[in-house]
Structures are given as C-alpha cells and as structure tokens.
Amino acid sequence: MSRFCGNVRTEEKFKVIDNWRDNCLLGGGSLFTEQPVWNAENLDSIKRYYVNNLDSGEGKFIGKLEKQLAPATAAAKILCAEIMWVMLLCLSNIKPPSKRATINRILSWAGIEIPPGCSLTADMAISGFGSGGVVFRRVQLNTNNRFYRFLLNVCEITIASWLVDERTGRYHFRDFVRDDNAMGRLYENFILNFYKIHLKNASVKKEKIKWNASSATDPELKYLPSMETDISIRYAQRCLIIDAKFYSKTLQTYYDKESIHSANLYQIFSYLENLRSRDGGDENAEGMLLYPAIDKRIRETYNLGKRRIHICTLDLNAEWRYIHRELLDIIDSADSIAKCIT
C-alpha cells in the first residue's frame, strides 16, 4: 500500500493504524478498553440492530444510531465507537475535536469515555489525510443543468459497481442484477417515482408509522422497531399502503404448498393496524404487496378482519407501455384510491 500523502506528516497516523491492526483486527481486543470487543458476537449485534434495522426517516444520523443500538450490549456499542474511529481517521474535512465528540458520544451509550491522554485520539493521530464525502452528492443541480442528473446517476452506479482485481489491478463491473439488495431498492424507488409522476392528484411518498402502543416499562417505545412504508398514496381521505418486494420467487413454498411470504403479510397488516389510530381516511386504509412477476400473474384480494390487502405482480419483462398500463391498473383495483387516476 502506498504511504505517500503529500506534505502531511504520517508517522503518528500510521502508528495508531498499526496499533488498531495488531490489537483489534488480529488480536480481537479494543482501542479504548481492556475487554475484547472486536469479535463475531459484537459484529453480529451491530448487524442485527443497525445494518438490518436501517432508519431512513428524518433526523440526524447519530441520534437514530443511538435508538437503533439501544438494545445492544455495552461491548457492541464500544465496537461501534471504534468502527467510527476507523471511519473518521483519514478524513481531514472533519476536525479532531468533532471526531472525539462523536466517538465519545457513542462510548457514552456504554457508560465510558475516551481515556484521558489517549494517543489514539490525539490531534496528530486523527487529523486525517484528505477530504471525504460523497462526490456525486456535491454537484448542485438547477433548472439550467438538471438534464445532467441522469448522466450523474449512471456514473455513480458505475463507480459503485466497480470491483478491482487485487492481482492485476484491473477493474471489473459487478453484476448489478445479482445484488438482491440493490435490485430491491431500485424496484422500490421505481414504483415510488412512477406513482409520484403519474398520480398528480394524490400525495405519494414514504412515511413513518407510529406504533399504536403504550408501555409502563418503555414509555418511549424505544425498543420497538421503526415502521416506514415503501409507498403511501393518499387521495381525498383515502389511503393505500404499498410494500414493493423484489424476490427471485414470488411465492414461498412449504411442503410443496405455495403461499404468500408470511413476513410480508404480517408487515403490511401491522402497518394497517397501526394506522387505525389516525384520523381521516387512514381508518379504512388498504394495503398491497407488489412483487415482480416471475412465473405467474397474481391478482388476489383478502379481507383480514376490517383490513383489505391486495397481492399483485408486475411483469417487468413486458414492453414499457404495458408496464405503464399495468401499474395504473393495479391502483385501479384498490377501491380506496382508484379515483385518483381519473
């Protein structure tokens, strides 16, 4: 690895990096405590409470992170603080006091702080090598140059999909369609933006749903997972909640019996039940699970108590005019929102 960093003095920086490599990556220890924290158990905990429980709603990152890690162990929170140390280490556009404040805040969730006089967080150690940030997000688009947005998006996805061959140094393009998470986000955003454009009389957006719950032991309900819809469509006191699900198989199979993915059905039903506490059209809101059509076309409607849920598929292999028509037909099948397309 090259260690040329211009005129920046690197001795202290690489010293703390070597410390982290030997003590944490290789030794499983910790930067700020005597206990072992760099282990699979704590990484799994962070994956469970943060990676698999992302909060894309409003609010600052650090505040949402605190809520997400609230159920985690103290050791997992310490590991999170040390991962943050690694992430901030090389950035020169964030000053050392701000870096220390962020790390200390995360450590405080575990009831500790950076040890006094700690060389790992001294100015010389963490002042950084170069500016960071998402370059594509820095481009300011306006009415005069907004036609560049599509080209910038193409460039961004190209850069994000590069894989480097460590032996030859050559780049390869990762097969985007084999990345289920990326394809899921693309599918969800496609459906959301289609309805934003074509349902001009309706409000179309993602939204947070509050739990219709109370607790004497957890009055802030901080241990309950957040609920955010993929797509909420509102029109004239009516509401339709769509969960766009991208799977390689539309239905699940159990003992040769095909059925709707149970977790998806429980999720959409929970959304509708917790909307009941709101005023207006939410009392009679409908739900929809929208899958890409893989091997069969599905159009089913179920009345679960007072809740109506539609199960639909969308044929993405069809020509665009048919996809366009099918997306409008799907909405037309929902009594709660059909009139907004006329």
Side-chain angles (χ1 to χ4, degrees), residues 166-265:
E166 294 183 358
R167 294 174 301 165
T168 65
R170 298 183 63 184
Y171 288 96
H172 302 277
F173 192 74
R174 174 170 52 87
D175 191 348
F176 184 84
V177 298
R178 294 185 180 181
D179 186 333
D180 290 341
N181 291 329
M183 288 297 292
R185 291 191 297 271
L186 177 63
Y187 178 64
E188 176 187 325
N189 287 326
F190 161 64
I191 303 298
L192 174 66
N193 288 311
F194 176 90
Y195 287 133
K196 279 185 176 181
I197 293 171
H198 294 284
L199 302 184
K200 298 186 182 299
N201 297 326
S203 167
V204 181
K205 62 181 181 179
K206 294 174 176 283
E207 68 171 333
K208 289 281 190 179
I209 297 178
K210 293 183 178 180
W211 286 93
N212 182 22
S214 62
S215 171
T217 57
D218 179 20
E220 297 180 359
L221 307 179
K222 62 183 179 181
Y223 292 120
L224 292 181
S226 60
M227 290 190 290
E228 183 179 43
T229 65
D230 290 347
I231 304 143
S232 295
I233 303 175
R234 284 191 165 77
Y235 172 76
Q237 299 298 307
R238 295 171 182 267
C239 177
L240 174 66
I241 305 297
I242 299 178
D243 239 8
K245 300 296 187 183
F246 190 92
Y247 291 137
S248 58
K249 292 185 178 180
T250 306
L251 301 174
Q252 65 181 6
T253 304
Y254 187 71
Y255 285 107
D256 297 326
K257 181 183 182 300
E258 290 186 324
S259 64
I260 302 161
H261 291 270
S262 53
N264 301 165
L265 191 59

Side-chain angles (χ1 to χ4, degrees), residues 296-311:
K296 62 180 65 178
R297 182 177 185 272
I298 298 176
R299 289 287 186 279
E300 304 292 350
T301 298
Y302 300 93
N303 295 312
L304 304 180
K306 295 182 178 180
R307 298 297 170 200
R308 177 171 291 183
I309 296 177
H310 309 271
I311 314 298

Side-chain angles (χ1 to χ4, degrees), residues 3 18 69 75 89 107 131 159 170 233 245 280 285 291:
R3 292 196 171 200
D18 289 343
L69 292 183
L89 184 63
L107 287 175
S131 178
I159 296 297
R170 298 183 63 184
I233 303 175
K245 300 296 187 183
Y291 301 94

Side-chain angles (χ1 to χ4, degrees), residues 3 34 47 64 104 111 120 166 252 278 304 321:
R3 292 196 171 200
E34 297 298 324
K47 180 179 180 181
K64 293 191 290 185
N104 252 335
L120 298 173
E166 294 183 358
Q252 65 181 6
R278 293 186 177 182
L304 304 180
R321 65 179 183 272

Side-chain angles (χ1 to χ4, degrees), residues 45-323:
S45 184
I46 292 175
K47 180 179 180 181
R48 175 185 178 186
Y49 294 115
Y50 173 67
V51 177
N52 294 338
N53 185 35
L54 295 181
D55 183 351
S56 57
E58 296 182 356
K60 293 185 177 181
F61 164 76
I62 199 72
K64 293 191 290 185
L65 179 65
E66 182 175 7
K67 291 180 180 179
Q68 289 165 301
L69 292 183
T73 63
K77 293 171 183 176
I78 294 170
L79 175 58
C80 183
E82 298 188 2
I83 292 174
M84 182 64 70
W85 177 88
V86 175
M87 293 174 62
L88 296 175
L89 184 63
C90 298
L91 302 181
S92 60
N93 58 317
I94 301 177
K95 302 304 180 185
S98 296
K99 294 181 181 182
R100 284 190 290 268
T102 299
I103 295 166
N104 252 335
R105 178 166 177 181
I106 301 175
L107 287 175
S108 71
W109 306 338
I112 66 171
E113 61 182 13
I114 297 172
C118 179
S119 62
L120 298 173
T121 55
D123 285 2
M124 287 295 294
I126 62 172
S127 55
F129 304 153
S131 178
V134 183
V135 175
F136 289 99
R137 296 291 184 264
R138 296 180 181 178
V139 179
Q140 299 297 314
L141 297 173
N142 53 50
T143 55
N144 295 323
N145 63 8
R146 64 185 177 186
F147 51 84
Y148 289 120
R149 182 185 301 277
F150 176 72
L151 292 176
L152 285 169
N153 289 341
V154 171
C155 291
E156 183 175 6
I157 195 173
T158 301
I159 296 297
S161 298
W162 275 355
L163 294 175
V164 63
D165 188 319
E166 294 183 358
R167 294 174 301 165
T168 65
R170 298 183 63 184
Y171 288 96
H172 302 277
F173 192 74
R174 174 170 52 87
D175 191 348
F176 184 84
V177 298
R178 294 185 180 181
D179 186 333
D180 290 341
N181 291 329
M183 288 297 292
R185 291 191 297 271
L186 177 63
Y187 178 64
E188 176 187 325
N189 287 326
F190 161 64
I191 303 298
L192 174 66
N193 288 311
F194 176 90
Y195 287 133
K196 279 185 176 181
I197 293 171
H198 294 284
L199 302 184
K200 298 186 182 299
N201 297 326
S203 167
V204 181
K205 62 181 181 179
K206 294 174 176 283
E207 68 171 333
K208 289 281 190 179
I209 297 178
K210 293 183 178 180
W211 286 93
N212 182 22
S214 62
S215 171
T217 57
D218 179 20
E220 297 180 359
L221 307 179
K222 62 183 179 181
Y223 292 120
L224 292 181
S226 60
M227 290 190 290
E228 183 179 43
T229 65
D230 290 347
I231 304 143
S232 295
I233 303 175
R234 284 191 165 77
Y235 172 76
Q237 299 298 307
R238 295 171 182 267
C239 177
L240 174 66
I241 305 297
I242 299 178
D243 239 8
K245 300 296 187 183
F246 190 92
Y247 291 137
S248 58
K249 292 185 178 180
T250 306
L251 301 174
Q252 65 181 6
T253 304
Y254 187 71
Y255 285 107
D256 297 326
K257 181 183 182 300
E258 290 186 324
S259 64
I260 302 161
H261 291 270
S262 53
N264 301 165
L265 191 59
Y266 300 152
Q267 182 180 34
I268 195 72
F269 185 77
S270 179
Y271 287 172
L272 297 176
E273 281 295 295
N274 284 279
L275 279 174
R276 294 181 64 182
S277 61
R278 293 186 177 182
D279 297 328
D282 289 349
E283 172 65 26
N284 299 309
E286 298 181 28
M288 179 181 293
L289 296 175
L290 182 55
Y291 301 94
I294 305 300
D295 51 4
K296 62 180 65 178
R297 182 177 185 272
I298 298 176
R299 289 287 186 279
E300 304 292 350
T301 298
Y302 300 93
N303 295 312
L304 304 180
K306 295 182 178 180
R307 298 297 170 200
R308 177 171 291 183
I309 296 177
H310 309 271
I311 314 298
C312 302
T313 55
L314 173 66
D315 185 2
L316 296 174
N317 287 322
E319 294 182 15
W320 169 246
R321 65 179 183 272
Y322 296 120
I323 295 175

Side-chain angles (χ1 to χ4, degrees), residues 3 16-28 31 85:
R3 292 196 171 200
V16 297
I17 291 173
D18 289 343
N19 182 312
W20 167 69
R21 179 198 61 201
D22 297 338
N23 187 29
C24 299
L25 284 186
L26 300 179
L31 293 172
W85 177 88

